[in-house]
Amino acid sequence: TCWIGATDELKEGNYAKANGDRWDYGSTLHSMGSSHLKLDNAQDVEHYLYFANGRYGDGNGGTRTAYICEWDQ
């Protein structure tokens, strides 16, 4: 499992980068279909986008995991 640095904590379904910048891949995620996606916001606490086993999902952030970082050059 790898956290990819996006959250919809401020507004469910609208993902933003952890630094607050807009994340333009949200519509792409929702068009992928359920075989590659599990964005269910279980118990209204899952706001952190991760990638695992070929699928994207939203987790609650309570588990330590690998992550992908982005930085300016």
Side-chain angles (χ1 to χ4, degrees), residues 7-52:
T7 179
D8 68 347
E9 190 170 22
L10 295 178
K11 184 173 181 190
E12 184 61 33
N14 290 344
Y15 285 92
K17 293 180 183 180
N19 69 3
D21 289 348
R22 185 174 173 199
W23 198 61
D24 295 326
Y25 299 104
S27 60
T28 302
L29 285 174
H30 290 285
S31 68
M32 294 176 77
S34 61
S35 63
H36 298 288
L37 202 55
K38 183 188 166 284
L39 301 177
D40 59 4
N41 192 27
Q43 300 175 2
D44 199 31
V45 296
E46 294 187 338
H47 303 293
Y48 305 98
L49 195 63
Y50 67 84
F51 183 78

Side-chain angles (χ1 to χ4, degrees), residues 38 55 71:
K38 183 188 166 284
R55 292 178 52 152
W71 63 86

